[in-house]
Amino acid sequence: MIIVMDVRGLKQIISRGEGPFVDFSKCTTELTDSVFQSICSFLNKEGGSIIVGVHDYGKIVGVAELFIDNMLKKFANAMEEEFSPACSLAPEIVDINGKKLFHISVPKSGEVHRYKNKVYDRMGSEVCDITYSYNLVENLYLRKRNESSENIVCPFLRMSELDEMAFRVMRERIASHNPSHPWLSLTNEELLHTNGFWRKDPISRKEGFVLAAVLLFGKEETIQNYNPVTYRMDAIYRKISYDKFFHPSSNYPESRYDDRDIIFSNLIDAYARLMKFVQRNLPKRVLNKQTTSVNVREKLFREIITNLLVHREYTHKYPCRLLVFSDRVVTENGAHTFLQEKKSFNSLDVEQRNPLIYKVFREMKWIDEPGSGKNNIFRYAPFYDKSYEVGLEIKNAEKFVFSISYGNEEGLDDLNLLSSSATSSSLYTPSRLPDKAKIEWIYASRLSEACPSIDISYVDKAESILEACVKPLPIQDMMRMVKQSNRTRFRQNIIKPLLEEGLLAMRIPTKPSSPLQKYFTTEKGKTLL
């Protein structure tokens, strides 16, 4: 945030040019929408300064004195009537070399502001209209919230909606490490109350268990009731290299996946299922240390999976995914806009995104102290792949993508490392491809077989629709989810084949074009999934 104390300070700011905290406007007779859009973006971000009467490239043109009074009146009216919530700011009039400038110092606001019913945010030095980018708007609200969404109060949640098996697994895991742990003597309800899972909402004043209790211990239907759209984990294994999958050649068949697990259950069950998925599809490598052996695969991927689950924002609509290729493992999560400037995994700050979830995972020994995950990944990765590469990317402020390479065993003998089960020699290679007829049989998807009228290029999108429509959705949400903009083409290529095969159905079948129409996955479709 920049505060101008004198003319000299203002000149210095102008000389440095525009940036994330400074905007220029060349308005001379009237304040335009762009000024108020910029104000809105500063309120929603970290604050900043707007200087009216300066060209974008820094030339001072000044504001016409004849129009100053009218501009000030318009400014006051707009801040009161066109901003929601209203905001009171006072422009400062500064004289530089006989030319009048407006300096507007904008603070960071604790609320999300709209100008003319539109939400504006900043991406670097740019003002962005994010009104219809639901993930970005949601991230903005999360950014304004002073605490994690795991603390959202669920006042109607009852103990009967939680899964007794999840509590049992937690206790067995804790007892195996510490038979005298104090949690073991508590009832399920006492455990939740004494560890912060019950609280009062500061706004609504309602009391209840928090969302973290649902995520950790909820039955599947409970999770869908309290977090219906956002909660899902998708593990996919493909016997093909990362580059060849995204840049396929004629030597390789089009492979959707060779193993998959779609998870809607609570986090305790999800962790176990993701670890089993890793055990099925990644080579086991053991580090021999004198009289003991260390399962490097388990140590390494325990950290990767717990980071995926514990540091996720569970109200973000982007599902978390574990993607395993023959040479790389990639994890994807919904990102937070405050992470968008991060470039390096090594420089990533340690932050406890969900402290209640983290606490349970720590007591179960699935996670260590803050920062240990990053350290352990760097500690064990060289023993899994001597020439490993770790990558981190924030895509469009929506996806947090982590990746790590594996499969290169050259030089591992020097590290006293032994490989067992699947090894790189058993990985998918062009020389071992079956003939074309067998390829088509092996890699044909179940959906392609059940719905032969659907074009192969739309199979992945159709499958995503079936997965999402376990809870009924309107067509606009479905299109947004699979990034389709042409409604006619979307209906023809995806919706129509699914309806014809009875995999998808309409809530109002007698009125296909009803604005209230929603689509849901049938029992046949669920069985297929």
Side-chain angles (χ1 to χ4, degrees):
M1 179 60 201
I2 298 172
I3 300 177
V4 178
M5 303 302 296
D6 52 29
V7 172
R8 182 179 177 183
L10 188 62
K11 284 183 176 179
Q12 289 178 347
I13 292 172
I14 295 172
S15 67
R16 288 195 291 265
E18 292 184 308
F21 303 101
V22 178
D23 262 359
F24 299 153
S25 173
K26 62 182 179 182
C27 301
T28 57
T29 60
E30 183 180 12
L31 294 177
T32 62
D33 278 346
S34 63
V35 174
F36 297 108
Q37 292 167 4
S38 187
I39 291 173
C40 185
S41 71
F42 280 135
L43 288 168
N44 287 335
K45 196 72 170 184
E46 299 295 329
S49 288
I50 301 171
I51 305 172
V52 180
V54 179
H55 271 286
D56 292 345
Y57 50 85
K59 180 181 179 182
I60 298 175
V61 293
V63 174
E65 292 192 42
L66 182 63
F67 295 92
I68 288 180
D69 287 343
N70 287 338
M71 293 171 76
L72 290 174
K73 288 178 183 178
K74 179 175 181 178
F75 182 86
N77 289 336
M79 297 305 299
E80 180 69 27
E81 298 174 4
E82 295 181 337
F83 275 77
S84 175
C87 184
S88 178
L89 298 177
E92 177 186 11
I93 301 176
V94 183
D95 189 307
I96 295 183
N97 300 330
K99 295 180 180 178
K100 298 289 192 297
L101 303 179
F102 280 4
H103 170 243
I104 306 167
S105 180
V106 185
K108 175 183 178 180
S109 175
E111 300 177 278
V112 174
H113 290 266
R114 293 173 179 263
Y115 171 64
K116 291 186 175 179
N117 288 322
K118 291 191 174 184
V119 183
Y120 295 91
D121 199 0
R122 297 190 75 81
M123 302 294 176
S125 59
E126 298 296 321
V127 177
C128 300
D129 179 357
I130 64 170
T131 309
Y132 302 109
S133 299
Y134 298 107
N135 286 340
L136 297 182
V137 172
E138 186 174 57
N139 268 349
L140 178 55
Y141 276 95
L142 291 171
R143 202 168 68 210
K144 296 295 182 181
R145 187 183 292 151
N146 293 325
E147 56 189 37
S148 171
S149 59
E150 70 167 11
N151 285 319
I152 294 173
V153 173
C154 307
F156 303 108
L157 179 66
R158 299 293 177 261
M159 289 298 299
S160 60
E161 298 178 84
L162 302 181
D163 187 0
E164 176 62 35
M165 179 58 71
F167 285 102
R168 190 182 309 165
V169 170
M170 179 196 68
R171 283 189 170 86
E172 289 175 355
R173 175 74 185 179
I174 291 175
S176 67
H177 294 280
N178 183 4
S180 61
H181 195 286
W183 287 11
L184 301 179
S185 62
L186 301 176
T187 66
N188 294 343
E189 190 165 0
E190 287 172 341
L191 189 148
L192 294 178
H193 277 277
T194 57
N195 285 286
F197 288 88
W198 179 279
R199 60 171 300 181
K200 179 184 286 186
D201 187 280
I203 298 175
S204 68
R205 313 305 295 172
K206 293 182 178 179
E207 289 186 277
F209 292 114
V210 295
L211 184 61
V214 176
L215 300 174
L216 280 164
F217 305 107
K219 298 176 181 177
E220 192 166 319
E221 58 269 25
T222 305
I223 295 173
Q224 292 303 306
N225 287 337
Y226 285 92
N227 210 356
V229 178
T230 63
Y231 188 91
R232 182 182 120 196
M233 282 144 279
D234 200 352
I236 302 175
Y237 171 57
R238 296 183 173 97
K239 287 183 180 179
I240 191 170
S241 71
Y242 178 82
D243 287 336
K244 288 187 181 297
F245 176 76
F246 287 102
H247 305 92
S249 66
S250 57
N251 293 331
Y252 279 79
E254 183 171 353
S255 172
R256 289 176 57 253
Y257 59 82
D258 299 277
D259 189 10
R260 188 172 193 176
D261 192 4
I262 303 171
I263 303 170
F264 292 97
S265 54
N266 59 62
L267 294 179
I268 290 177
D269 181 64
Y271 172 85
R273 286 172 62 174
L274 289 173
M275 286 299 291
K276 286 180 181 177
F277 186 87
V278 165
Q279 292 164 8
R280 287 199 306 268
N281 296 303
L282 281 163
K284 179 181 179 181
R285 292 176 183 163
V286 179
L287 176 63
N288 292 321
K289 289 186 174 182
Q290 298 177 349
T291 59
T292 62
S293 296
V294 177
N295 187 330
V296 179
R297 179 184 64 189
E298 182 178 345
K299 293 285 188 181
L300 177 60
F301 287 98
R302 184 194 77 165
E303 302 297 345
I304 292 172
I305 289 173
T306 52
N307 281 333
L308 182 68
L309 299 180
V310 172
H311 299 299
R312 178 184 176 189
E313 175 47 63
Y314 282 94
T315 58
H316 198 292
K317 289 184 174 58
Y318 192 84
C320 84
R321 300 205 295 170
L322 173 68
L323 308 176
V324 180
F325 300 92
S326 65
D327 61 347
R328 184 171 293 273
V329 177
V330 180
T331 65
E332 296 180 351
N333 246 339
H336 312 287
T337 51
F338 66 81
L339 285 171
Q340 64 189 1
E341 301 300 327
K342 301 288 185 183
K343 299 295 184 184
S344 167
F345 179 71
N346 196 34
S347 65
L348 191 65
D349 294 335
V350 176
E351 180 186 357
Q352 290 186 34
R353 183 65 201 165
N354 297 299
L356 291 176
I357 297 174
Y358 166 84
K359 184 177 183 180
V360 172
F361 272 49
R362 184 190 64 194
E363 297 305 312
M364 296 175 72
K365 301 300 182 183
W366 283 348
I367 199 168
D368 297 323
E369 295 306 312
S372 63
K374 181 174 70 173
N375 295 335
N376 284 336
I377 286 173
F378 283 122
R379 177 184 178 186
Y380 290 108
F383 295 99
Y384 199 69
D385 180 347
K386 188 176 181 180
S387 57
Y388 79 98
E389 295 178 355
V390 170
L392 177 67
E393 185 179 3
I394 311 299
K395 293 185 178 180
N396 302 322
E398 291 187 5
K399 289 185 191 178
F400 182 95
V401 182
F402 167 84
S403 66
I404 184 168
S405 62
Y406 79 97
N408 181 10
E409 297 188 33
E410 183 181 353
L412 290 181
D413 290 339
D414 297 336
L415 301 172
N416 296 319
L417 197 67
L418 303 177
S419 298
S420 61
S421 71
T423 64
S424 60
S425 62
S426 64
L427 295 176
Y428 188 90
T429 57
S431 60
R432 303 182 62 194
L433 286 177
D435 59 62
K436 188 175 187 300
K438 291 182 179 179
I439 291 171
E440 292 175 351
W441 181 81
I442 292 172
Y443 292 99
S445 75
R446 297 179 188 174
L447 183 55
S448 296
E449 294 173 351
C451 194
S453 60
I454 196 166
D455 188 280
I456 188 66
S457 60
Y458 290 100
V459 166
D460 279 343
K461 292 181 174 61
E463 185 180 36
S464 297
I465 293 297
L466 289 180
E467 292 165 1
C469 287
V470 171
K471 181 179 179 66
L473 291 176
I475 192 168
Q476 56 268 29
D477 286 0
M478 297 157 63
M479 292 175 62
R480 191 180 304 115
M481 185 183 64
V482 295
K483 298 181 180 179
Q484 296 291 293
S485 57
N486 188 310
R487 182 173 296 212
T488 301
R489 191 176 302 148
F490 178 72
R491 286 182 183 276
Q492 186 67 28
N493 294 328
I494 299 177
I495 299 301
K496 184 180 177 182
L498 294 177
L499 290 174
E500 290 176 346
E501 296 297 336
L503 303 173
L504 197 69
M506 292 181 281
R507 290 287 292 271
I508 314 174
T510 56
K511 298 180 180 179
S513 301
S514 170
L516 301 178
Q517 186 66 263
K518 289 187 177 182
Y519 297 82
F520 65 94
T521 304
T522 63
E523 289 304 316
K524 180 180 177 181
K526 291 178 182 178
T527 302
L528 181 70
L529 291 176

